[in-house]
Amino acid sequence: AGASGWSEASGTTWSTIPSPPANLRATPQSTNSVLITWADRSSNESGFKLERRLGTSGTWVQFQPTGPGQVTWVENGLATDT
C-alpha cells in the first residue's frame, strides 16, 4: 500500500471566466428610486450580483442578483434623496 504518483484528473471541465460588465450607471428615477444600467460584455455569465454600501467605509451588501443577459435594474424604496 502507500501513496501513489500523480495522475491526470478525469472529467474536469475548464470554462472561460466571463468578462466583467462595463459602463455602470445609476440614474435617479424619483426621490426614492434609481435606475442601474451596465453593458454586458460576456455571453457565458449566469447573472450579475448588485451590491451597495452606506457611505465610503460601510460594508458591501448584495441586494439583488440578476439573470444572464440582464442589463438594468430599478431599485425602489430608497431613503428620500439617496
Side-chain angles (χ1 to χ4, degrees):
S4 62
W6 291 95
S7 64
E8 292 294 317
S10 171
T12 302
T13 302
W14 299 100
S15 61
T16 303
I17 297 173
S19 297
N23 302 324
L24 178 66
R25 296 179 191 267
T27 307
Q29 298 296 290
S30 70
T31 58
N32 62 353
S33 70
V34 64
L35 170 66
I36 302 167
T37 60
W38 59 92
D40 182 356
R41 300 185 317 139
S42 61
S43 61
N44 61 336
E45 82 276 357
S46 59
F48 297 100
K49 294 178 181 177
L50 302 178
E51 298 180 338
R52 66 175 166 216
R53 72 177 180 178
L54 295 175
T56 58
S57 61
T59 301
W60 287 97
V61 177
Q62 182 179 328
F63 67 94
Q64 180 62 41
T66 71
Q70 186 171 342
V71 294
T72 64
W73 176 258
V74 175
E75 182 68 1
N76 295 302
L78 301 171
T80 301
D81 296 324
T82 297

